[in-house]
Amino acid sequence: NRKYVGDAVEFDDGIDLPEEDILFDPQTSGGLLVACPAERSNEFIERAEAALPTSCRIVGEVLPQASGATIRVMKKR
């Protein structure tokens, strides 16, 4: 997975390799990333955590960009 889409991903400083690996782990593919409007992200997390047996976190944001990385993974704020 990293070989296939790795050029489209940018990680902030402080993201360790094991944390990066989670994004590319085939065992987590499909349910790891979900996009929603930023103004509704807290509501989404609350509802998802109420419905799912796992925790949810904001791991990045969608920004307009003409070129470069498609996915930017940020360090927890």
Side-chain angles (χ1 to χ4, degrees):
N1 289 341
R2 183 185 293 268
K3 187 175 182 179
Y4 183 70
V5 297
D7 291 342
V9 180
E10 174 184 308
F11 294 94
D12 273 0
D13 292 339
I15 303 289
D16 297 329
L17 183 59
E19 294 173 313
E20 290 183 16
D21 287 343
I22 292 171
L23 181 66
F24 302 107
D25 186 336
Q27 297 175 78
T28 60
S29 293
L32 181 61
L33 296 177
V34 174
C36 74
E39 63 273 7
R40 299 197 60 201
S41 60
N42 289 330
E43 174 191 357
F44 177 84
I45 289 173
E46 289 173 9
R47 294 179 76 176
E49 288 188 328
L52 301 170
T54 187
S55 62
C56 300
R57 300 289 181 266
I58 297 172
V59 297
E61 62 185 314
V62 177
L63 302 171
Q65 189 170 357
S67 63
T70 303
I71 299 171
R72 178 174 175 224
V73 180
M74 302 180 310
K75 190 70 176 169
K76 184 177 178 180
R77 297 176 195 177

